[in-house]
Amino acid sequence: MTISKSYPILLLIIFLGLFAWVYQSENNQLQLQQQQQLASFKTSLTQYQQWQGNGAELFKKLAEHYPFQFFQYVDDTDGSQNYTEGSLDNQDAPPFSSLFLIDLSHTQKLATGRLQVKLSTNQAIEIAISNTSSFGIILIASYLLLLAAFIILMSKQKVAIRYAADYISKIPDLSFSAVASSKLSGELKPIAVSLEECRTQLKTQIDKLNQENEKLHKAAYQDTVTGFATRQRFTQKLETISNPDMPQLGVMAMVKATELAQINQKKGRTAGDDYLVKVAACIRKACSKYPDAECFRVSSADFAVFIPDVMLKDAPKFLELLKSYLDEYVQVTESESVAHIGLVPYQQGTDAVNLLTIADTAVSIAQTLGPNSFHILEKLNSNEQFGDDRWKMTINDLITRRALKFYQQPIQPCRTNVEVYRELLARFYNSEGKFLPTTTVIAMAERHGMSTELDKLVVISALKMLNDNPAISANFGINICAFSAHQDLFIAWLKDMLSKHKHIASRLVFEINESGMQSNLGASHKFVREVHSVGSRVSIERFGMSFTSFKFFSEVRPDYIKLDGSYTSNIDEDSNNKFFVRMMVDVARRLGIRVIATSVERQEEKLTLEKMLVDGLQGYYIAQPQAITTTDQI
């Protein structure tokens, strides 16, 4: 039961109790007074004990001192002396006299008669009723006053509570107006303080959540590395372009950071991210003259730039500017290339898929034109594979011309009795003598089924270089793809070539990616066996990325394993990498397999790996790729 209902009831009970107490006190007092009056009457009768006169005279004498409701004198012998006055039933009783029941009857024998009386209590009862009613009126008035005061206070309290409830109910709507303390004063002051604290804290938390939400929104739609918009925004932009009801015109440039995969593999992802940041900076500077340009990072190595209200004939200005910035970056980094650009026009209603197809073809063509080249393509001339066909022709051309040049990156032995080698890095160039992105050349060769021919070119070129330059006495590693290593015809061809150059074959180490070798352990073992038969050796690169890597130790038995660069990264601090490297070194040592750590970029990594007894170290901290001279010796 609520206090608004229980309080009036409790107050009523208290006042009824007070009234009952007053009534009982008044009744007790009245009873006492009347009993005293009856006792006085009895005492006064002692002087009339020998009364023998008329009853009327006796009544007259007693009535002077006592009021009678009933009086009767009956003489024993003379009936004329009898006298009766009043009645036993009180005909003149005041209202509510029944509340005070008093019996003042008395019968007494006198000398010659009998006296029976009943004293009147009307006056005393009227006084008692008057006193009780007066007090009752006071109680009722007090009750009503207290009840009215309670109702007023409760109404005020209800207003304050309703205000607090309304305030709390508005909190989910994120309404944070200040609390009106005047409406929550007195006993409700703590609620006002609590609500104000709650408001302040919630507002602070909401502000923090809004900031976090902005960060998440930024993370979702802004690339953390480059600061460009993400693929989701790029997709939305394509949807906008494909809308035929939204007039628009412009050009879209696709920029492919073609060296990312090689940088990640050789230098690590940190260097790769730095490379992307620099490419993005070049794009941003080129776009500075186009305030409405929008830049996106579409994938790990692909960027898109939309420049509205630019005609196709004016696009070369932007491309030349971007190429100049990329060329500047090349000079700073001393690398061969940075990125390639394909540019296509767009207008409202342009099909997004077709636009991307043309742009991808334009980038593919640009990659065949040399470092940091660009190509503008308006349409595909009904040949959607134009870009791929261009690559096929380019690869055929460089195989025919044997258009490649070798760079080398040494492997540093960790002990004097360890025999290691130098890795040959093939660089391909087009008919104009401009280098092509190696990763793209290999990928396109695999797409067109020309990887085996490309591997043959690498082997033949390496044999020719070593045969023509006998002063070069080092051992060299040659990269070939796993697909070629699993082909019987290629193995037979390679064995025949090495047999013809046995003095060189013993200096060659064939490097093959572990993931490709894992696909067919039987064919991998056969390749290793045939290569060993002519004196050459085999190295498994990017080793340790598969759960079945240790199966190589027992089934394939290579001469070297080159640990994936992820194991080297921060190995001085990463206990997990230390555990795996230590385990692989232990197993490899028992089987006579040399372990080479790659992507060594810091002195701390070098010292840690040396303590773990690896056999060789390779990475930019040890030596960067460099051109081969005719006097190179190990």
Side-chain angles (χ1 to χ4, degrees):
M1 185 180 295
T2 61
I3 188 172
S4 59
K5 294 181 180 179
S6 60
Y7 178 80
I9 295 174
L10 179 61
L11 191 64
L12 180 62
I13 292 173
I14 292 173
F15 274 78
L16 288 177
L18 288 174
F19 181 79
W21 177 77
V22 170
Y23 162 75
Q24 189 64 36
S25 298
E26 193 68 28
N27 186 41
N28 292 339
Q29 185 178 359
L30 179 62
Q31 294 286 347
L32 179 60
Q33 289 176 353
Q34 295 305 307
Q35 290 299 328
Q36 290 175 352
Q37 185 178 18
L38 180 60
S40 176
F41 174 74
K42 291 179 180 180
T43 303
S44 64
L45 281 181
T46 56
Q47 58 180 321
Y48 300 103
Q49 189 67 36
Q50 302 301 320
W51 180 267
Q52 295 180 0
N54 190 292
E57 292 180 5
L58 181 59
F59 171 75
K60 185 177 180 181
K61 289 181 179 292
L62 292 175
E64 293 177 358
H65 304 285
Y66 302 100
F68 292 101
Q69 176 185 330
F70 175 75
F71 181 91
Q72 186 179 53
Y73 177 77
V74 180
D75 192 84
D76 294 337
T77 59
D78 187 0
S80 63
Q81 301 292 328
N82 295 343
Y83 182 78
T84 300
E85 181 73 27
S87 64
L88 291 174
D89 294 331
N90 193 358
Q91 302 295 328
D92 301 323
F96 306 107
S97 60
S98 58
L99 295 174
F100 301 95
L101 299 177
I102 304 174
D103 186 13
L104 299 182
S105 301
H106 181 66
T107 303
Q108 188 170 336
K109 184 73 174 69
L110 299 181
T112 58
R114 182 177 63 84
L115 177 64
Q116 182 179 359
V117 298
K118 187 174 185 181
L119 298 178
S120 175
T121 60
N122 288 345
Q123 185 178 3
I125 289 176
E126 286 178 356
I127 294 173
I129 290 175
S130 176
N131 292 338
T132 303
S133 60
S134 298
F135 192 80
I137 291 172
I138 294 173
L139 288 178
I140 292 173
S142 300
Y143 173 77
L144 293 176
L145 286 174
L146 290 175
L147 187 61
F150 174 75
I151 292 173
I152 293 173
L153 290 175
M154 283 303 299
S155 62
K156 185 178 180 181
Q157 203 81 327
K158 286 181 179 179
V159 170
I161 293 173
R162 191 177 300 112
Y163 169 78
D166 291 342
Y167 187 89
I168 294 172
S169 66
K170 290 178 182 177
I171 288 179
D173 298 331
L174 306 183
S175 176
F176 294 113
S177 57
V179 176
S181 300
S182 59
K183 294 185 179 181
L184 295 173
S185 57
E187 294 80 2
L188 297 180
K189 186 67 176 178
I191 296 179
V193 174
S194 297
L195 285 177
E196 184 62 26
E197 292 179 355
C198 178
R199 179 187 75 87
T200 304
Q201 293 178 8
L202 281 177
K203 191 174 186 308
T204 302
Q205 293 298 324
I206 291 298
D207 290 342
K208 288 182 180 179
L209 289 175
N210 288 335
Q211 293 175 1
E212 293 296 328
N213 185 52
E214 289 179 4
K215 291 180 181 179
L216 291 174
H217 189 271
K218 188 175 181 180
Y221 295 105
Q222 181 175 336
D223 180 55
T224 55
V225 176
T226 63
F228 288 166
T230 59
R231 185 178 182 86
Q232 291 87 340
R233 292 292 192 193
F234 175 70
T235 303
Q236 294 173 5
K237 180 66 177 180
L238 290 178
E239 292 175 353
T240 303
I241 292 175
S242 61
N243 186 355
D245 300 326
M246 186 176 296
Q248 50 192 319
L249 179 70
V251 294
M252 181 186 75
M254 292 295 294
V255 182
K256 181 178 288 293
T258 49
E259 302 303 308
L260 179 62
Q262 185 174 353
I263 291 176
N264 282 341
Q265 181 177 355
K266 297 295 183 181
K267 296 185 178 181
R269 294 195 177 276
T270 301
D273 288 345
D274 182 65
Y275 160 68
L276 292 175
V277 170
K278 297 294 177 42
V279 173
C282 294
I283 297 173
R284 194 173 282 109
K285 286 193 291 185
C287 292
S288 61
K289 294 186 178 181
Y290 303 89
D292 296 329
E294 298 179 74
C295 302
F296 305 85
R297 185 182 178 188
V298 181
S299 63
S300 58
D302 294 329
F303 301 91
V305 181
F306 289 89
I307 308 178
D309 303 323
V310 173
M311 303 298 292
L312 192 62
K313 61 183 180 64
D314 299 321
K317 296 179 181 178
F318 167 76
L319 296 174
E320 291 288 352
L321 185 61
L322 177 56
K323 185 179 187 306
S324 67
Y325 289 129
L326 295 176
D327 290 340
E328 290 178 5
Y329 180 38
V330 166
Q331 294 175 4
V332 173
T333 59
E334 299 180 357
S335 59
E336 298 172 359
S337 179
V338 174
H340 294 82
I341 315 140
L343 187 139
V344 295
Y346 71 85
Q347 59 185 2
Q348 72 270 20
T350 299
D351 180 69
V353 175
N354 186 53
L355 183 68
L356 292 178
T357 301
I358 299 175
D360 184 65
T361 301
V363 173
S364 297
I365 295 173
Q367 288 177 294
T368 66
L369 301 178
N372 303 330
S373 297
F374 61 81
H375 185 75
I376 300 174
L377 189 62
E378 185 173 1
K379 55 184 179 179
L380 291 178
N381 297 322
S382 301
N383 184 2
E384 295 185 355
Q385 298 299 320
F386 182 77
D388 281 352
D389 287 344
R390 181 65 174 262
W391 266 112
K392 187 174 182 179
M393 291 186 295
T394 299
I395 294 173
N396 270 325
D397 175 66
L398 63 86
I399 290 175
T400 301
R401 294 185 297 105
R402 296 186 177 181
L404 90 164
K405 180 180 180 180
F406 284 118
Y407 283 74
Q408 64 173 347
Q409 186 177 27
I411 297 173
Q412 176 183 304
C414 293
R415 293 178 301 281
T416 55
N417 62 337
V418 175
E419 184 182 14
V420 289
Y421 58 93
R422 300 185 179 194
E423 181 179 357
L424 286 178
L425 305 173
R427 295 291 183 265
F428 306 95
Y429 53 89
N430 60 15
S431 58
E432 298 177 2
K434 297 180 179 180
F435 282 106
L436 303 176
T438 304
T439 304
T440 306
V441 171
I442 295 173
M444 289 297 176
E446 290 179 352
R447 178 184 296 185
H448 293 289
M450 304 174 70
S451 57
T452 299
E453 297 301 319
L454 199 64
D455 287 338
K456 287 182 179 180
L457 171 63
V458 172
V459 172
I460 291 172
S461 300
L463 290 173
K464 184 177 185 304
M465 179 192 70
L466 297 176
N467 194 52
D468 293 344
N469 299 280
I472 302 178
S473 60
N475 296 336
F476 288 94
I478 301 175
N479 288 278
I480 62 174
C481 70
F483 176 79
S484 299
H486 292 166
Q487 303 300 311
D488 291 337
L489 291 178
F490 176 82
I491 294 175
W493 174 87
L494 179 63
K495 186 176 180 180
D496 180 63
M497 290 293 296
L498 296 177
S499 298
K500 294 177 181 178
H501 302 83
K502 288 187 176 180
H503 63 291
I504 297 177
S506 61
R507 298 166 54 196
L508 297 181
V509 179
F510 292 94
E511 291 193 1
I512 309 175
N513 191 285
E514 180 205 17
S515 61
M517 296 289 276
Q518 287 278 12
S519 62
N520 190 335
L521 291 180
S524 299
H525 177 63
K526 178 182 179 181
F527 173 79
V528 174
R529 186 176 66 248
E530 295 296 333
V531 168
H532 282 172
S533 67
V534 292
S536 296
R537 286 163 290 181
V538 177
S539 177
I540 305 300
E541 64 172 351
R542 303 204 71 181
F543 187 83
M545 299 303 292
S546 171
F547 288 110
T548 59
S549 293
F550 291 101
K551 222 171 180 183
F552 272 114
F553 291 130
S554 59
E555 296 189 19
V556 178
R557 292 294 182 94
D559 301 281
Y560 300 91
I561 57 172
K562 298 178 73 173
L563 300 177
D564 185 78
S566 61
Y567 288 103
T568 302
S569 179
N570 295 319
I571 192 171
D572 52 311
E573 300 176 355
D574 193 328
S575 58
N576 291 328
N577 280 355
K578 288 180 182 178
F579 171 77
F580 283 112
V581 171
R582 189 176 291 110
M583 182 169 53
M584 284 187 279
V585 168
D586 182 58
V587 176
R589 273 178 165 271
R590 297 180 185 181
L591 299 175
I593 299 174
R594 301 296 188 186
V595 179
I596 298 171
T598 64
S599 300
V600 181
E601 299 179 13
R602 297 187 298 116
Q603 183 180 14
E604 293 80 5
E605 296 171 346
K606 174 180 179 294
L607 295 176
T608 301
L609 289 165
E610 287 176 338
K611 291 178 181 178
M612 300 180 74
L613 303 179
V614 298
D615 297 291
L617 301 171
Q618 183 181 23
Y620 273 63
Y621 183 78
I622 305 301
Q624 296 187 9
Q626 51 194 265
I628 297 179
T629 64
T630 56
T631 59
D632 275 336
Q633 294 184 2
I634 196 166

